[in-house]
Amino acid sequence: MNLKQQKILWGSLIGLLVIILGWSLYIIYGNLGGFDEVKVYRLEPAQRTVVGKYYKTRYSDKALKEQFERCQTLIESNHVKGDLVVFSYQNPDLAANEVEQFIGIMLKEDIAEIPVDFDMKEFNSGDRYAVFLSMHPLVRMPEKQYRKLLRETASGDGGNLQEFFVEIYFPDNSMTVEVWVQ
């Protein structure tokens, strides 16, 4: 076999490998829900009772992750019946590396045994705009994109928006992101 034939052979093998790898990634991305359509839905007003903790801190603060995991554990162990929820406030006074959030559990029942250090809050909305994200977290669009989509849709309808986004996490890795009209 001469040098030209070896180059053709290796080039063909590398090309075939790239095609197989690309096709495999395409299939995996599709199976994880990467091609699922993201639509904005207009929902009726709601009243939510949420228990949890308020944080105004750095993104890297371990307390945020610990509170998120604590709420997940309470839900999974059926100590509190509800859905994991994060209210992310849009505060322009925050530094670039800061976040303002209320992390807790949106109660499904009126009576619940909640931890002593949790605060209880009532949230009321006007109309709500929501996206339902059923795809795997690895293939979800970036947070900024669906928040922008929600803001544009709600503003297009002339709604005066509340100062936070509501992220509701479900046990199957799906989530809902809502923006509320006052």
Side-chain angles (χ1 to χ4, degrees):
M1 198 181 254
N2 63 25
L3 184 60
K4 185 176 182 178
Q5 290 174 329
Q6 286 180 350
K7 285 182 180 181
I8 292 173
L9 178 65
W10 282 107
S12 300
L13 288 174
I14 291 171
L16 182 61
L17 182 62
V18 167
I19 290 170
I20 290 171
L21 183 63
W23 181 253
S24 298
L25 291 175
Y26 178 83
I27 296 295
I28 290 170
Y29 184 79
N31 286 338
L32 292 176
F35 298 116
D36 293 354
E37 182 180 6
V38 176
K39 291 175 29 180
V40 176
Y41 295 92
R42 186 176 184 166
L43 306 173
E44 307 236 339
Q47 180 178 2
R48 304 280 192 220
T49 303
V50 180
V51 295
K53 286 186 173 183
Y54 172 82
Y55 294 92
K56 186 174 182 181
T57 184
R58 298 176 323 277
Y59 274 109
S60 59
D61 191 345
K62 292 179 182 177
L64 296 171
K65 183 179 178 188
E66 289 169 358
Q67 175 67 9
F68 192 89
E69 290 171 350
R70 181 177 180 201
C71 290
Q72 276 183 323
T73 303
L74 287 169
I75 293 168
E76 289 169 359
S77 65
N78 284 327
H79 280 73
V80 180
K81 293 194 186 311
D83 295 315
L84 180 60
V85 66
V86 177
F87 286 80
S88 296
Y89 293 89
Q90 304 302 298
N91 185 345
D93 297 333
L94 293 175
N97 65 342
E98 289 184 326
V99 65
E100 185 176 358
Q101 294 182 331
F102 186 83
I103 302 171
I105 301 170
M106 187 170 24
L107 299 177
K108 289 184 179 176
E109 298 176 347
D110 291 336
I111 300 172
E113 188 176 319
I114 61 171
V116 182
D117 60 333
F118 276 23
D119 297 325
M120 181 181 288
K121 291 191 173 224
E122 293 284 333
F123 290 95
N124 295 306
S125 76
D127 288 337
R128 300 173 294 147
Y129 292 85
V131 292
F132 299 98
L133 304 171
S134 60
M135 66 283 296
H136 192 278
L138 288 174
V139 296
R140 269 189 204 138
M141 70 170 68
E143 181 179 312
K144 287 181 181 181
Q145 281 184 322
Y146 57 75
R147 286 185 176 190
K148 180 181 176 188
L149 182 65
L150 283 167
R151 257 191 246 108
E152 288 173 351
T153 303
S155 297
D157 288 348
N160 188 16
L161 304 180
Q162 293 193 20
E163 72 278 359
F164 53 78
F165 285 91
V166 182
E167 299 172 357
I168 305 167
Y169 296 87
F170 303 105
D172 64 351
N173 273 337
S174 65
M175 70 182 287
T176 300
V177 181
E178 299 179 355
V179 63
W180 294 1
V181 177
Q182 293 180 341

